[in-house]
Amino acid sequence: MSETLQTSGTTDAQAGHGVSLGEAFRVWLRVAALSFGGPAGQIAVMHRILVEEKRWISEGRFLHALNYCMLLPGPEAQQLATYVGWLMHRTLGGIMAGGLFILPGIIAIMALSWIYALYGQVGFVSALFFGLKAAVLAIVLEAVVRIGKRALKNRVLIGLAVAAFVAIFFLNAPFPLIIFAAGVIGFFGGRAGLPQFQIGGHGGNVQEEDSNLLGETLPNHARPNAGRSLRVAALWLTLWLTPVLALVLILGRGDVFSQIAFFFSKMAMVTFGGAYAVLAYVAQQAVETYGWLRPGEMLDGLGMAETTPGPLIMVLQFVGFMAAFRDPGSLSPLVAGTLGGLLATWVTFAPCFLWIFLGAPYIEVLRGNKALSGALSAITAAVVGVILNLAVWFGIHTIFGEVRPFAWGPFSFDAPVWGSVNPWALLLSAAAIVAMFRFKIGMLQTLAATSAAGVALYMAGAIA
């Protein structure tokens, strides 16, 4: 077990990249502070900082790790941060990167949950987030353009991206099915040696070595080891499941804390395709089965999670808070709510570290496989289509106040009601897009400007 947590035995010089833990802490803290906009925006932030600005890892290695994380249950952006942190600084680096990634969201959602439970409204904060969402839309669109330029190198990959977008947006195809289909196409294309699926990067292109600090060689700690894998699995399964079993044994299955621990542990294993794939089920269970939330409150929590740093799945902390707040037992409601929210967060994210620390070494050694390279190149193309779907979805729900289901044959989607357009949201979104794309204004400055504009509009009575 001590081997899984050992980091001090490897100096920066031995690691070869020269990035100290202190510097890594500051970088991951910056990534965490800018992790708005759902997975698309968060991936864009990490790509900009880690690949382009700091040049820690290569484009290919970033995409290789991203594709593995896209196949896992749970929030892919948080797992990607954990993966890169582990590559750079072993297990401690992964814990630091993955932990810092969700820390601002934990604090923000907890504070808003307190306000929501006590006062039932967050008007001033909502106004702040109203402006923030305009900049987030620009960030998400930038992610589509940035990743698309690098991943879609030929017409075949562009076609896969388009097909993925149509499948998920218009046909409501399950995300895992899209990724699986793309992977199969790329696997056989790569195995056949088709050049369209061998675009470099996933296969460990040595030409990228000089352009990044980590290089393309396999670090010693990233080599698969059966004994280490057993220790990692034992450690993280114990950390994850011990609180669950203890609560069930001590308090019984009917206690709200036992229900939170058991229910969200189950959710952690089935959240393939991001939070949207499972939130409808969570809302239904929380309202109809457990009575934790009232109808419509899930949307309030979702609004908090969409406009605060961290993964969208952080909305589960709000659900856990409200569940325990309304059934506190012998505790005060706020104390019970706080513990319930933290418990939901723990059992949601502890498995994420297990998936990375257990599986990443085996994924790393496969980077030179041509068939796998083709599969991951195809998956990357499909992911661009999925991110475009997120951008369109986010744009519709940012600018329009109402959507209406539309169906035509096999096609169905939520179409915006044009009469429900919010002119202020449209104006701020357009301004943020122009600022970032045309004038190259930084993300932080754009976020600050649109947030201030949202507060100003609220003070002036222009928005509720």
Side-chain angles (χ1 to χ4, degrees):
M1 184 177 297
S2 61
E3 181 182 338
T4 63
L5 293 175
Q6 183 181 1
T7 59
S8 58
T10 301
T11 65
D12 296 332
Q14 291 172 320
H17 52 66
V19 180
S20 68
L21 271 174
E23 180 184 352
F25 179 87
R26 292 188 291 272
V27 170
W28 289 118
L29 192 61
R30 180 184 167 202
V31 169
L34 296 175
S35 60
F36 295 94
Q42 292 154 3
I43 292 167
V45 167
M46 280 190 281
H47 185 274
R48 175 189 290 179
I49 294 176
L50 303 179
V51 178
E52 297 188 351
E53 180 182 325
K54 297 297 182 180
R55 308 189 77 83
W56 280 4
I57 63 173
S58 67
E59 178 84 26
R61 206 160 201 162
F62 181 89
L63 293 176
H64 182 85
L66 172 62
N67 288 324
Y68 171 59
C69 296
M70 293 292 288
L71 297 174
L72 296 173
E76 57 268 31
Q78 187 267 348
Q79 291 168 337
L80 177 60
T82 305
Y83 193 119
V84 178
W86 166 80
L87 269 179
M88 297 293 293
H89 293 102
R90 294 174 168 255
T91 304
L92 181 57
I95 294 173
M96 178 174 65
L100 283 176
F101 191 87
I102 61 175
L103 183 60
I106 292 174
I107 296 172
I109 295 294
M110 186 61 71
L112 292 177
S113 297
W114 273 57
I115 296 172
Y116 189 89
L118 291 174
Y119 305 108
Q121 59 176 331
V122 286
F124 181 82
V125 178
S126 296
L128 185 75
F129 293 153
F130 175 84
L132 193 66
K133 289 169 74 173
V136 168
L137 177 57
I139 293 170
V140 173
L141 289 175
E142 187 186 41
V144 175
V145 174
R146 184 183 298 273
I147 298 177
K149 282 182 177 179
R150 288 163 172 78
L152 308 181
K153 297 294 188 181
N154 54 66
R155 291 182 179 180
V156 171
L157 297 180
I158 292 173
L160 283 174
V162 172
F165 173 77
V166 171
I168 196 168
F169 187 82
F170 292 106
L171 300 176
N172 296 310
F175 174 83
L177 178 61
I178 294 172
I179 297 301
F180 177 77
V184 169
I185 293 171
F187 178 86
F188 286 105
R191 189 176 181 180
L194 298 179
Q196 292 89 343
F197 296 98
Q198 302 296 331
I199 58 174
H202 296 301
N205 189 341
V206 295
Q207 292 179 352
E208 296 185 85
E209 276 194 33
D210 294 336
S211 64
N212 65 91
L213 297 178
L214 187 62
E216 296 303 315
T217 57
L218 190 67
N220 288 331
H221 70 274
R223 300 181 187 279
N225 179 282
R228 175 193 172 278
S229 297
L230 289 174
R231 289 190 292 272
V232 167
L235 172 63
W236 286 97
L237 283 171
T238 300
L239 292 174
W240 171 20
L241 296 178
T242 296
V244 179
L245 296 176
L247 287 169
V248 172
L249 291 174
I250 295 172
L251 302 177
R253 285 289 300 271
D255 185 84
V256 66
F257 289 103
S258 299
Q259 292 175 341
I260 290 170
F262 184 80
F263 179 73
F264 291 120
S265 289
K266 182 173 66 174
M267 289 301 97
M269 295 185 288
V270 299
T271 50
F272 294 96
Y276 293 111
V278 78
L279 286 183
Y281 175 75
V282 171
Q284 182 184 36
Q285 293 294 303
V287 174
E288 298 178 5
T289 303
Y290 294 102
W292 292 340
L293 301 179
R294 302 186 182 101
E297 288 187 333
M298 188 68 176
L299 291 178
D300 295 333
L302 190 58
M304 296 178 192
E306 284 177 335
T307 49
T308 52
L312 183 62
I313 203 70
M314 286 301 305
V315 68
L316 299 186
Q317 178 176 285
F318 169 76
V319 178
F321 180 98
M322 296 305 298
F325 179 84
R326 287 178 172 148
D327 186 12
S330 60
L331 301 173
S332 74
L334 286 176
V335 171
T338 300
L339 294 176
L342 293 177
L343 175 61
T345 300
W346 174 255
V347 296
T348 296
F349 287 99
C352 297
F353 293 99
L354 170 64
W355 313 143
I356 297 301
F357 296 145
L358 185 61
Y362 298 93
I363 295 300
E364 277 295 301
V365 299
L366 292 174
R367 284 193 307 122
N369 185 286
K370 285 189 175 182
L372 181 67
S373 174
L376 293 181
S377 295
I379 291 173
T380 301
V383 165
V384 174
V386 173
I387 294 176
L388 178 59
N389 163 70
L390 292 175
V392 173
W393 187 95
F394 191 83
I396 289 174
H397 288 80
T398 296
I399 296 173
F400 297 91
E402 185 180 349
V403 297
R404 184 173 299 153
F406 176 83
W408 183 66
F411 300 97
S412 64
F413 61 96
D414 288 335
V417 177
W418 295 99
S420 69
V421 64
N422 186 318
W424 292 114
L426 178 61
L427 180 62
L428 286 180
S429 297
I433 292 170
V434 170
M436 295 189 69
F437 280 84
R438 174 66 178 85
F439 296 104
K440 308 299 181 184
I441 295 177
M443 182 189 308
L444 192 60
Q445 295 91 326
T446 304
L447 285 167
T450 55
S451 299
V455 172
L457 289 171
Y458 175 76
M459 299 296 290
I463 59 174

